[in-house]
Amino acid sequence: MSKASKINILAAAVVFILSFLLIAFTPLRNLIPGYPDAEFKRQQEVEKMKMDSLERSIYRWELYSENLRKVVFGEKPIQIDSLIHQAKIDFEDEKTIAPANTDSLLRAFVKEKEMFGVSDDKPQDNIEDIHFFKPLTGTVSRHFEVAQHPYIDITAPEGSPVKSVLDGSVLFTDWNEADGWIIILQHENGIISIYKHNQKLLKAVSDNVSAGTSIAILGSSASVRQENTHLHFELWRDGTPLDPSLYINF
């Protein structure tokens, strides 16, 4: 091999090494098509965080929706306290046992359990000190019975405005053959109010409402006709039905 050939080979090797170093350790590598640059990696991390947050939100709302469904249809509500207790046990065990994905979501749910109104850290107002507005101007035709009738019926003329008893937001709306239009509001301190037998709703899910605001129009929209036009009104706190007559002057 001639001296000139050796020089060419050495020069080519030096050029290759320098090119490799430049591409590997300088921003020039970002010019390679398909190479994940720093911004791309950062965006990946952001998207991963968003997905984790979305999974936790979906899990919380699944639990919350199931609890609401049970409340609306008179079934036994989810025992949130038992979930919290189990989550505490899981937290103690996670030092030695790798947690499952669902366990991680449950612990995340427990951290944000304020939405269920059961947080030990959140001060709970005395419900007797809360001022409730009347949901409807009328006459109580059937009173609260904790076992057979955990709500009250308020008779009033069809077309009467149904009003929110407290500040809050619309959590759920629905229609069924027995109850007509239903609207459920969520309030502070773990309080939920339920209004059935409406002919029309004036608010939609996620709408914020003020105490005394009209949220529906009274009247039968159900397939099963009522004997008299009345509002089916329920008041709940932390999964327990309350007698509205104890807190509202009808």
Side-chain angles (χ1 to χ4, degrees):
M1 182 180 294
S2 65
K3 183 177 181 181
S5 298
K6 292 181 179 180
I7 293 175
N8 289 336
I9 293 174
L10 180 61
V14 171
V15 170
F16 175 80
I17 293 172
L18 290 176
S19 299
F20 175 81
L21 293 175
L22 284 172
I23 293 174
F25 300 103
T26 69
L28 289 176
R29 64 181 181 274
N30 295 328
L31 299 178
I32 300 175
Y35 187 88
D37 58 12
E39 177 62 23
F40 179 78
K41 292 180 179 180
R42 186 192 69 80
Q43 189 63 33
Q44 280 187 317
E45 291 298 322
V46 171
E47 294 301 325
K48 182 180 178 181
M49 292 173 62
K50 288 181 179 179
M51 287 298 297
D52 290 341
S53 177
L54 180 59
E55 287 181 353
R56 290 194 297 269
S57 297
I58 291 173
Y59 184 73
R60 290 197 309 271
W61 278 108
E62 284 178 348
L63 288 174
Y64 197 53
S65 298
E66 178 63 14
N67 200 37
L68 283 177
R69 186 192 66 79
K70 290 178 179 293
V71 168
V72 171
F73 294 103
E75 300 176 14
K76 186 177 180 181
I78 295 173
Q79 298 300 314
I80 304 302
D81 291 339
S82 64
L83 292 180
I84 296 171
H85 176 69
Q86 184 60 46
K88 289 180 179 178
I89 295 175
D90 293 341
F91 180 77
E92 292 297 327
D93 292 343
E94 73 173 348
K95 295 178 182 178
T96 56
I97 302 176
N101 186 48
T102 52
D103 293 333
S104 299
L105 293 176
L106 179 57
R107 280 191 289 274
F109 158 74
V110 172
K111 290 179 181 179
E112 298 183 40
K113 61 185 178 293
E114 286 81 2
M115 66 184 299
F116 285 91
V118 296
S119 172
D120 295 331
D121 299 327
K122 182 178 179 180
Q124 296 292 313
D125 292 341
N126 190 337
I127 193 169
E128 286 79 9
D129 297 332
I130 298 176
H131 176 68
F132 291 86
F133 279 75
K134 286 196 299 185
L136 181 68
T137 300
T139 303
V140 177
S141 56
R142 186 171 178 183
H143 293 275
F144 179 92
E145 299 172 24
V146 67
Q148 301 297 326
H149 196 264
Y151 48 88
I152 64 172
D153 293 336
I154 308 170
T155 302
E158 185 168 352
S160 299
V162 177
K163 301 179 179 180
S164 173
V165 294
L166 294 170
D167 292 344
S169 61
V170 180
L171 191 61
F172 179 81
T173 61
D174 194 17
W175 180 92
N176 64 53
E177 293 184 355
D179 301 313
W181 284 107
I182 303 167
I183 184 168
I184 300 177
L185 305 184
Q186 182 179 25
H187 313 285
E188 293 183 349
N189 302 307
I191 298 174
I192 290 176
S193 57
I194 301 175
Y195 314 74
K196 299 182 180 181
H197 300 321
N198 301 293
Q199 66 171 259
K200 181 181 180 181
L201 301 183
L202 303 179
K203 299 294 181 179
V205 172
S206 299
D207 284 351
N208 293 322
V209 297
S210 300
T213 300
S214 295
I215 57 174
I217 300 298
L218 182 68
S220 178
S221 61
S223 300
V224 180
R225 301 297 298 181
Q226 303 176 35
E227 294 183 2
N228 57 355
T229 304
H230 68 274
L231 175 70
H232 169 124
F233 176 67
E234 301 180 35
L235 195 62
W236 293 74
R237 190 181 196 192
D238 298 339
T240 301
L242 305 177
D243 182 355
S245 299
L246 298 178
Y247 313 105
I248 304 174
N249 184 22
F250 291 100

